[in-house]
Amino acid sequence: MLALGKSLTKALAARTLAPQVCSSFATGPRQYDGTFYEFRTYCIKPSKMNEFLENVKKNIHLQTAHSELVGFWSVEFGGRIDKVFHIWKYDNFAHQSEVRKALANDKEWREQLLTPILGLTDKQESEITYLVPWCKLEKPPKEGVCELVTFQMKPGGPALWGDAFKRAVNAHVDLGYSKLVGVFHTEYGALNRVHVLWWNESADSRAAGRHQSHEDPRVVAAVRESVNYLVSQQNMLLIPTSYSPLK
């Protein structure tokens, strides 16, 4: 019995000391913080974009009375035109449910904001995302433009590609040509998808910085490692509305 006890003790110690395979995406603060961000993309009917934006500008306060708007942009380049993208913040899923119930009972919101924009919209998409643990949401230093870059990674999750992806993002950050606003990992929507939101003074400053990054050996090396896990990527240039908190 004594020998068996010693064997069990050694086995447990070995398990405790054994290296654990984990990812910086999947561990850390995010596991203990229920805060998430809903990404909403609306495709607006042709010729109705100005009417849509004016209605939202006039009545967005009816929704922000219930939930926190992070940013609201029109899409300038990348994919379909006549498109808007906005981000909403929630404490957890119970909070989101409470907001939806409150909005459903808000007659003014339904009549002045919801019903009019539904008549101007062709398509709506929603994703639920978390900020990755190694990144916090940053505020741009002044008004500019944002770039949302979406990476579809290989199946396997952050345990497979998370660390390489982090190194690639940080290599761009270290150059300093663009400010990192946030890195978001999709929880509901297309899985193994990561969105990176960048801020630039202008589209031209963004282009100049990208040219610089293509010649930096540290960026090239980090990106070369990360693309081994990449399926596809796309981006959008975003112009902030006057009522967008993030500009």
Side-chain angles (χ1 to χ4, degrees), residues 188-239:
Y188 287 99
L191 300 181
N192 297 293
R193 175 178 287 180
V194 186
H195 301 279
V196 183
L197 187 63
W198 300 94
W199 173 90
N200 293 275
E201 288 190 20
S202 67
D204 287 325
S205 67
R206 179 260 178 200
R210 291 292 293 176
H211 288 308
Q212 177 188 354
S213 71
H214 293 162
E215 299 175 357
D216 188 285
R218 295 164 299 178
V219 173
V220 171
V223 170
R224 185 174 293 159
E225 178 189 12
S226 182
V227 296
N228 290 322
Y229 307 104
L230 182 65
V231 175
S232 64
Q233 68 185 87
Q234 62 184 45
N235 67 346
M236 299 187 297
L237 184 71
L238 306 173
I239 307 299

Side-chain angles (χ1 to χ4, degrees), residues 86-242:
H86 38 125
I87 302 175
W88 298 85
K89 180 181 178 181
Y90 297 96
D91 297 336
N92 48 46
F93 289 102
H95 177 214
Q96 188 194 41
S97 295
E98 291 171 2
V99 168
R100 288 191 172 186
K101 289 178 182 178
L103 288 172
N105 293 321
D106 188 330
K107 182 180 178 181
E108 191 177 11
W109 173 82
R110 294 197 313 270
E111 294 180 351
Q112 296 186 28
L113 183 60
L114 178 63
T115 300
I117 67 172
L118 286 179
L120 304 172
T121 305
D122 268 343
K123 182 181 180 182
Q124 298 183 13
E125 295 181 353
S126 172
E127 286 183 79
I128 300 300
T129 71
Y130 288 104
L131 273 173
V132 299
W134 46 270
C135 173
K136 63 180 181 178
L137 193 65
E138 298 285 357
K139 186 175 181 179
K142 59 183 179 180
E143 186 168 346
V145 298
C146 284
E147 179 189 15
L148 182 71
V149 189
T150 300
F151 299 87
Q152 186 63 49
M153 309 301 289
K154 289 183 178 179
L160 175 66
W161 42 258
D163 292 333
F165 189 90
K166 178 182 177 182
R167 285 191 288 271
V169 170
N170 285 337
H172 285 285
V173 171
D174 290 342
L175 274 186
Y177 70 89
S178 183
K179 182 175 179 61
L180 180 63
V181 177
V183 181
F184 304 84
H185 184 209
T186 298
E187 181 76 5
Y188 287 99
L191 300 181
N192 297 293
R193 175 178 287 180
V194 186
H195 301 279
V196 183
L197 187 63
W198 300 94
W199 173 90
N200 293 275
E201 288 190 20
S202 67
D204 287 325
S205 67
R206 179 260 178 200
R210 291 292 293 176
H211 288 308
Q212 177 188 354
S213 71
H214 293 162
E215 299 175 357
D216 188 285
R218 295 164 299 178
V219 173
V220 171
V223 170
R224 185 174 293 159
E225 178 189 12
S226 182
V227 296
N228 290 322
Y229 307 104
L230 182 65
V231 175
S232 64
Q233 68 185 87
Q234 62 184 45
N235 67 346
M236 299 187 297
L237 184 71
L238 306 173
I239 307 299
T241 62
S242 61

Side-chain angles (χ1 to χ4, degrees), residues 41-44 49 73-76 78-85 234 236:
T41 305
Y42 292 174
C43 295
I44 311 305
M49 186 68 166
W73 301 265
S74 61
V75 177
E76 184 74 3
R80 174 175 168 167
I81 59 174
D82 296 324
K83 184 162 61 175
V84 297
F85 172 72
Q234 62 184 45
M236 299 187 297

